[in-house]
Amino acid sequence: MRFSSLLLFSAIVVCALSALVNSEVEGIPEDKLLVVTVATKETDGYRRFLRTAKHFNYTVKVLGRDQKWKGGDYMSAPGGGQKVRLLKEGLKEMKDDGQIILFIDSYDVVFASGPKELLKKFQQTKHRVVFSSETLIWPDRHLEDKYPHVREGNRFLGSGGFIGYLPNIKELIANWTGDDGDSDQLFFTKVYTDQSKRKSINITLDNKCRLFQNLHGALDDVVLKFEDSQVRLRNVLYDTLPVIVHGNGPTKLQINYLGNYIPNTWTFESGCTVCHEDLRSLTALQENEYPLVVIGIFIQQPTPFVTVFFERLLKLQHPKNKIKLFIFNKEAHHQRQVRSFLKDYGSLYENVTVIEPEEEMDGAASRNLGLDLCRRDQDCDYFFSLDIEVVLKNKDTLKILIEQNLPIVAPMITRAGRLWSNFWGALSGDGYYARSEDYVDIVQGRRVGVWNVPYVSNVYLVKGSLLRRELKDYELFSSSDPDMAFCHNIRNKGIFMYVTNMHTFGRILSTENYQTGHLHNDLWQIFENPVDWEERYIHENYTRIMKDKLIENPCPDVYWFPVFSTVACNHMIEEMEHYGKWSGGGNADNRITGGYENVPTIDIHMIQINFEKEWQKFLVEYVVPITEKMFPGYYTKGGGCRFLRYDCSIQAPRKGWALLHPGRLTHYHEGLPTTAGVRYIAVSFVDP
């Protein structure tokens, strides 16, 4: 008899093991899973949630659409009871006991993997309901002693996500009688910490974050994992790959950052996988069908190359009868450029509004007013904010930004030669700049895409519909720090800001040390803004001198090449004439050492207009390289003409072209008479 009993017992064990193996092999069918969420309005976070759900083919049921949210601001205070009420109502008609319900937040959640992995991990817990877990207890720390202890992993319940069988979920919420503003987290915590209820419903926590990863209190525990064209979040503390990532509490910026990569939004192999989705194409539109844009131009400090700014504005590819200009100018110094531009071209635009220095409006007020001009104009499709120090080299910038079809999007611009840009990748604890892990890669173009960021400035596009709905508040900017205030208000409303580096757009000028005491102050910008100085003042063919053999050799050892632009020549002449203190052309000259000039000319020295170090910089950057090429072995520190020894003359000098020759020893020379007009010559001695 004992032998028979042993056989029977063995048979039972074998059957049980067989059933267990079959269950694990078969798994839960994916069509048994239903994702349930609450979203009373469509936010950018909600749309991101749906995109990630669609990516993995989750079936989603949304509760509370178009209802008023009464659940409170449970990010900073207890609330969220409305979610439980809506869930309870939404499950009433469901009858399938095999149905699996995943109840999850949506505004701050992304899926990192699909239903198959989620269901497998749920099944492996061997419980009927699994809640997400947290390292922090909230909202009532006095309940800590009631929590069961765990040997390893997070001990406390998070209500932002749980999964379970339909009958058990119904039992879980059956006793909910609270108000919409009551705490859902507190309700579920009390259920879980009640041992009898925990056992009856068969609840456990996802202690090691295999299913759910709540970011609050765990930011140091997670890293992005790039592998085989996939991007996952890895919990390094427990070596797990969560299926669902939740930016709960004060971690909204972190989930936004992670959402730039998860799920496979950007990978090293494929780059940006979503940057060409949901675009608004302008290609097929007739001119009268283009969106109306209000362009806000803000001049808040003395800035170099303002004339060039307006030249580029004219080249911006958008019908001018579909542009309204709002120009705020705080600087009297720039009134001449603004008025000249409007006199010549203002009539091309649909409308022009100008705020001049005499009106004494501050920067924040001007920006609020600019946005409001678009907000109150039902025809305004976009507001394009553009600071005067922005060098917008890409004439298609506005078209590119409009086609991105995003709420707020900025073209990435940088300061030449520096990591400074017009966006921040992260914020510090006090709300100011912090460098994200990918910031340098984005700025230097090693990662290209469209990036959700917490801060943009200087140049960005805002949808007009956004201003008339979510951004109805007039005071979006404040005088303390307008850009910080604006971005803070945008983030608080759950609106995403983006920056794109998919194209090269331009750069931003340095306004430091910009002096306004000269006629053409931009001439002095060779140190602060060398790239812009070169574009403005160096001949367009200078870079072709060697490559295309553009340098000429009119006389032996005399080289003739383009160096200055026409604008540079004009500005130099006008600057000298404006100064006006020409020498008398005699031998006596107290400006030079010894006071005697062997070869007197009517001249002004560069030092007289405080241009000596700028001129020296010009020689070193643009003349010295030619000298070293034309005269090998000669290394430097730093009108018409006749060369007597060779009886060779250059009788038709070109504006902006330079003559380079060895000087008096072998190339004693004289100036030929001027036959018409006034000849101006910039002379330098390049010593070894």
Side-chain angles (χ1 to χ4, degrees), residues 149-161:
H149 288 276
V150 295
R151 287 188 299 175
E152 186 182 13
N154 301 333
R155 183 182 173 195
F156 305 114
L157 175 145
S159 64

Side-chain angles (χ1 to χ4, degrees), residues 63-82:
L63 307 175
R65 290 287 297 272
D66 300 322
Q67 295 186 20
K68 184 178 180 180
W69 176 252
K70 300 177 182 178
D73 180 15
Y74 57 92
M75 190 176 83
S76 56
Q82 186 172 354

Side-chain angles (χ1 to χ4, degrees), residues 425-445:
L427 297 182
S428 63
D430 56 0
Y432 283 86
Y433 172 81
R435 180 173 291 183
S436 61
E437 292 181 4
D438 57 1
Y439 178 81
V440 174
D441 282 347
I442 293 173
V443 169
Q444 295 183 343

